[in-house]
Amino acid sequence: MGERGSYRPLDADSVVEFVEPFVPGPRESEEVGDGNLNLVFKVYGDGGSSVVVKQALPYLRLAGENWPLTLDRARIEAAALEVQNRFAPGTVPRLIHYDSALAAIVMEHLERHEVWRVGLNTQRHYPQAPAVVGRFCGQMFICTSDLGMHPEERKKLTGRFINPELCAITEDLVFTAPFIEAESNDIEEHLTDEAARLRSDKVLAENVAILRFMFRTRAEALIHGDLHTGSVMVAPDDTRVIDPEFAFMGPMGFDVGAVFANLALAHIAHRAQGHKEFAETLPEAADEFWAAFTESVLSRWPASETWRERFIVDLVNDAARYAGAKMIRRIVGLAHVTDITDIEDDQQRYRAQVDAIAGGRALLLSRRVVSVEHLWTLATEGEA
Ligand code: SR1
Ligand code: MG
């Protein structure tokens, strides 16, 4: 198995054969993929051993075979896991094997973990998670940017992470489609007017075009590229960032903005449902994420370099705008978030959707965001 040209989608039987070198038999498998793109199997072997196998399909799982998608994303994910394990050890799953012909990755099975978004939706508190994700970002940004990596090595890294097709998905689904009439948009009927208002706002269109240009051109560091709360696995004593198939050398603010956007969406969703106490844990999570992130960055950067303070303030400002685009796409674009889609009461769901659009819009239209408090107020109150 694994020869060039021998790609075929794995199934419950063939995946068991595929992992033979890594898991002692007898083995059992189950397909558990609930994401938008790939097949994911858990394979259990003798003596309590187990692994996860993630295989790229030649199309987008969410849309079906009429939306073809490169298998190269499995190579990108394996390479990103390797680099993340090197620079941010303990914060991502261990990479066990990558098979290029099958576009499949064998990795550590995080048995005790659940997806952070699922934990947030069910009001389970994981107090360590925000700081681990903050440190993950800080370590990756310093170690893979010109701030911490030799320029020649960084340029080679850039070559390894050319990821045009997955970047194109983001350019389209985050920065373009939600702001125009697009077939891919998924708009609940009661949001027809709000979505039309977004499409007719010329200043918004201008700001989002600038943001898309920044996303396309700022090869600052190896970013995760899709760092929402569904890309984090949590246990009471352990947190791991998963799913780096969108990784490329891009703007740091995009990952930071993704974390803020998803915490803000969780807050807005719980607030709309009257879960006051849990909603109030989310601004704290945002603060903890940011404190760990800045601590991680500043501790690796000599204090004599005074521009580091300016760098951090500029980063919040970038992150605020990216967060705005990300919030809006999760309401009127393709691929919504269960924080909001799972709200069964129509009035509460509508409230959350309208608040998320207002937050996203306020972030995208803001002139200059200089602190996380400012960012959070815009995101969750829709104004400064
Ligand atoms: C078409 S794939 C939809 C979304 O799923 C991923 O998680 C990314 O966020 C992407 O935009
Ligand atoms: Mg993903």
Side-chain angles (χ1 to χ4, degrees), residues 35-38 54 224 226 228 230-231 242-246:
N36 298 325
L37 279 83
N38 307 294
K54 179 170 175 182
H224 179 281
D226 197 24
H228 54 78
S231 295
I242 61 165
D243 275 4
E245 65 211 308
F246 283 79

